[in-house]
């Protein structure tokens, strides 16, 4: 068991989501940075899709009510156990009554705290993820919450720490496949010219972008677009011309044209982009990866 002693801007429980419910109007949700969740779970010996804590910008404190094996990945933040500094992406053994503190992230946006056995809250439609758009799944964490931990798996962690690429505060390069509505714009190539900036108005639904440099995206078609399905990573452009990259809790349909779709592997990169950070789009061939 774990007791929540402090919560930062937002902390939710996330796994790899609930695919397969689009026909019922329910999106997949799940971890915004799937790679970081998978790594945290592998470090503690869990299946990759076990439920963990996703902490926006850190600021979380947890009290262990029994011995726990924990790993923290994603956005880089100071980690201490009873005041002793610990490493990111390492296996941490926390004893009963010890406190794990996650400071505020210096780079990246979302950190993942995995515990051996997984966070064992009741699943909803097959997933323990919180969908912030629909309100499905466990409530965001609050001070005083006690989180159950599942039965430890038979496998054991085989490493002490994982080598990880450093998150950068500099410009990000994100690969994009054009379309399906690139022809609705006077010059769809404008998406790839200059730089965009991540807006403060960004969340698990989508990363909203402001133009930093380069030409404005202008519509060539003024008619209304019938509502159509939206994939993870879709770059939807509303009348303002400021695109939105859809993330984990995106709506499953939309009525604004999609100028391109972020390559699946780069969706995690966008999920870790902080407000004010520069983003450059690069033209890519179609991605064979799956979408949700």
């Amino acid at each position: 068991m774990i007791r929540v002693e402090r919560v930062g801007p937002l902390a939710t429980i996330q796994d790899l989501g609930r695919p397969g419910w689009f026909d019922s109007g329910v999106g997949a949700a799940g971890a915004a940075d799937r790679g970081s969740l998978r790594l945290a779970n592998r470090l503690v010996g869990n299946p990759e899709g076990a439920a963990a804590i996703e902490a926006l910008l850190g600021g979380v404190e947890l009290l262990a009510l029994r011995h726990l094996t924990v790993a923290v990945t994603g956005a880089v933040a100071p980690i201490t156990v009873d005041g002793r500094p610990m490493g990111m992406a390492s296996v941490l053994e926390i004893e009963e009554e010890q406190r794990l503190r996650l400071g505020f992230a210096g780079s990246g946006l979302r950190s993942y705290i995995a515990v051996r056995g997984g966070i064992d809250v009741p699943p909803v439609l097959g997933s323990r993820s919180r969908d912030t758009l629909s309100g499905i799944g466990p409530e965001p964490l609050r001070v005083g919450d006690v989180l159950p931990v599942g039965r430890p798996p038979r496998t054991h962690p085989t490493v002490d720490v994982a080598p990880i690429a450093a998150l950068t505060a500099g410009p990000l390069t994100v690969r994009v496949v054009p379309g399906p509505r690139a022809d609705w714009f006077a010059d769809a190539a404008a998406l790839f010219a200059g730089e965009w900036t991540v807006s403060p108005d960004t969340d698990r639904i989508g990363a909203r972008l402001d133009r930093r440099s380069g030409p404005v995206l202008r519509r060539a078609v003024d008619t209304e677009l019938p509502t159509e399905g939206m994939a993870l990573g879709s770059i939807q452009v509303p009348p303002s011309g400021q695109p939105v990259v859809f993330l984990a809790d995106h709506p499953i349909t939309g009525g604004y044209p999609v100028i391109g779709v972020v390559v699946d592997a780069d969706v995690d990169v966008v999920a870790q982009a902080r407000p004010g950070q520069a983003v450059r789009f690069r033209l890519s061939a179609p991605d064979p990866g799956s979408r949700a």
Side-chain angles (χ1 to χ4, degrees):
M1 303 283 278
I2 305 169
R3 189 165 71 225
V4 179
E5 301 284 281
R6 186 173 59 153
V7 176
L10 177 68
T12 59
I13 296 170
Q14 300 292 339
D15 53 24
L16 289 178
R18 51 179 65 84
W21 293 94
F22 273 25
D23 57 352
S24 298
V26 178
D33 178 353
R34 299 156 296 170
S36 290
L37 174 72
R38 290 186 173 108
L39 175 60
N41 275 319
R42 289 200 302 269
L43 282 167
V44 297
N46 287 340
E48 289 187 345
I53 296 171
E54 180 184 275
L56 178 67
L57 291 172
V60 171
E61 180 178 324
L62 305 173
L63 177 67
L65 301 181
R66 66 169 176 82
H67 173 267
L68 300 172
T69 301
V70 175
V72 183
T73 59
V76 180
I79 305 166
T80 62
V81 174
D82 280 0
R84 292 180 291 113
M86 298 291 172
M88 290 286 297
S90 60
V91 179
L92 310 177
E93 301 295 343
I94 303 175
E95 301 304 325
E96 184 178 348
E97 296 301 317
Q98 287 189 321
R99 295 172 185 269
L100 171 71
R101 293 185 177 93
L102 184 64
F104 285 95
S107 60
L109 196 60
R110 297 175 171 94
S111 299
Y112 293 84
I113 306 170
V115 58
R116 184 170 168 78
I119 305 298
D120 195 24
V121 295
V124 178
L125 299 180
S127 169
R128 295 177 170 87
S129 287
R130 174 66 176 185
D131 186 331
T132 59
L133 179 64
S134 68
I136 292 175
E139 293 292 326
L141 300 190
R142 296 169 294 185
V143 172
D145 284 349
V146 175
L147 305 178
V149 176
R151 179 177 298 178
R154 294 182 179 179
T155 57
H156 294 274
T158 56
V159 298
D160 294 322
V161 63
I164 54 174
L167 292 174
T168 178
L172 300 172
T173 298
V174 176
R175 295 167 293 172
V176 173
V177 178
R181 300 298 178 186
D183 58 347
W184 279 54
F185 296 87
D187 183 11
L191 179 72
F192 303 96
E195 288 184 343
W196 302 89
T197 301
V198 179
S199 166
D201 184 22
T202 195
D203 52 27
R204 282 180 46 84
I205 297 170
R208 292 158 177 81
L209 305 177
D210 299 321
R211 174 58 92 176
R212 171 175 282 191
S213 64
V216 176
L217 286 175
R218 301 187 184 280
R219 289 269 296 268
V221 178
D222 294 327
T223 58
E224 293 295 323
L225 178 69
T227 297
E228 55 188 7
M230 291 289 136
L232 179 68
S234 293
I235 306 174
Q236 191 184 66
V237 184
S240 65
Q242 306 304 110
V244 180
V245 181
F246 279 154
L247 298 177
D249 291 352
H250 68 87
I252 64 173
T253 61
Y256 296 133
V258 171
I259 193 171
V261 181
V262 173
V263 168
D264 193 69
D266 287 357
V267 173
D268 290 354
V269 174
V270 178
Q272 290 291 4
R274 297 172 73 115
Q277 193 163 6
V279 175
R280 299 167 180 158
F281 291 119
R282 180 165 66 84
L283 188 65
S284 178
D287 176 27
S290 62
R291 289 285 170 180

